[in-house]
Amino acid sequence: MSETIAALAQDGKLNAISCMAVMPGWAADSVLLHNLPDYVQIGLHLTLTGENPLTPMPEIAPEGMLPSIEALRRYAHGGRLPLDQIAVELRAQFDAFMATMGRPPAFVDGHQHAHALPGIRDIVLKETACRAPGAWLRNCSDRPLAMLSRPFRGKAIGSAFHSRGLRAAAAGYGLSCNDSFAGHYDFARDYAGVFAAFLQQPGSMHLVMCHPGAGNRHGDEIASARPREASALRRLRIADMAIAKGLSFPQ
């Protein structure tokens, strides 16, 4: 999967890569990032769901596996998160990223958008402001009319709901965010066919999430979608599509 992502970035199809420093293969895979073009931003994909943490987290990962995003949301909205353990874990993930890359992340986001959850977001903002003050944060919200102009508006509105207030909170720490966000779909349909809709009504810093890969990782719930996305991104004239919408796409 990592090789696919690096190749797409090398070919000018991606200009940002979000990295899970929690993964066992992170140190080896990070080598793929060192010779990418300068325009490719390398960020940290903080992970609190579905993987093994770097540090002991007995209250939410008693058997070594982090909870599902649904369970994490219940803990967060019920005020039942072990925030001290989460703070230690997120510091360890920052450490793992910076030890390998030799620099802070260009941006910070979260696996399954967990970085925006109550309690967790405060830890993320404080750690980012301390460790990567020049980084921007992924904000998973957009203007209502923009979300309504794209497919899978229910998913988009759900993400925006969980991200409400994040931009203002980030600004309080001197951190910026993207100002529009797209990429929601069902991981089943033709990605090339739906991609153009992700560029409808963009903001000035428009972020389109994608999930390309080889699709060969055991237990990956969206494994079948990853090679379809990769194939579509290779074929699409993404820079031209962005320019047609008044955007630039560094490459």
Side-chain angles (χ1 to χ4, degrees):
M1 183 156 65
S2 299
E3 290 84 355
T4 300
I5 294 168
L8 286 166
Q10 191 72 56
D11 292 342
K13 300 298 184 176
L14 301 174
N15 56 22
I17 298 174
S18 191
C19 304
M20 298 172 77
V22 73
M23 301 301 285
W26 160 242
D29 287 350
S30 68
V31 175
L32 299 167
L33 304 172
H34 289 298
N35 294 316
L36 292 179
D38 291 342
Y39 63 77
V40 180
Q41 295 190 33
I42 309 299
L44 174 58
H45 197 57
L46 293 168
T47 303
L48 290 171
T49 60
E51 303 293 345
N52 295 313
L54 297 177
T55 62
M57 302 187 74
E59 292 185 52
I60 61 171
E63 298 180 4
M65 177 67 72
L66 288 160
S68 68
I69 185 60
E70 293 79 14
L72 194 70
R73 284 179 185 144
R74 289 197 300 272
Y75 298 151
H77 291 292
R80 294 184 289 119
L81 287 173
L83 296 178
D84 54 344
Q85 293 174 27
I86 289 173
V88 170
E89 173 64 20
L90 295 187
R91 281 197 293 272
Q93 293 185 28
F94 266 92
D95 288 343
F97 180 96
M98 296 173 71
T100 300
M101 295 304 297
R103 63 178 187 271
F107 62 92
V108 175
D109 57 26
H111 188 46
Q112 299 179 314
H113 315 316
H115 68 294
L117 289 174
I120 295 172
R121 79 167 54 175
D122 295 330
I123 297 170
V124 171
L125 292 173
K126 289 176 184 177
E127 196 67 21
T128 302
C130 177
R131 306 288 292 277
W136 54 271
L137 272 293
R138 178 203 281 176
N139 181 26
C140 306
S141 64
D142 208 331
R143 296 149 294 146
L145 288 178
M147 291 188 287
L148 292 174
S149 73
R150 305 179 194 127
F152 297 91
R153 60 194 65 172
K155 282 191 171 186
I157 291 168
S159 292
F161 177 80
H162 291 297
S163 294
R164 65 195 186 281
L166 179 60
R167 182 193 303 279
Y173 284 88
L175 300 168
S176 62
C177 296
N178 54 295
D179 63 2
S180 58
F181 182 73
H184 298 89
Y185 79 117
D186 60 2
F187 299 108
R189 65 190 58 208
D190 173 46
Y191 190 72
V194 75
F195 184 85
F198 298 155
L199 301 180
Q200 295 294 331
Q201 298 199 32
S204 59
M205 184 181 176
H206 186 53
L207 181 63
V208 178
M209 64 176 172
C210 58
H211 314 79
N216 56 4
R217 183 173 181 239
H218 178 71
D220 183 3
E221 294 180 353
I222 60 170
S224 62
R226 295 188 189 277
R228 288 198 301 270
E229 289 195 29
S231 176
L233 291 170
R234 290 188 193 100
R235 300 193 313 271
L236 291 169
R237 299 176 65 87
I238 296 171
D240 292 342
M241 295 170 73
I243 290 169
K245 293 296 183 180
L247 298 166
S248 64
F249 187 85
Q251 59 176 176

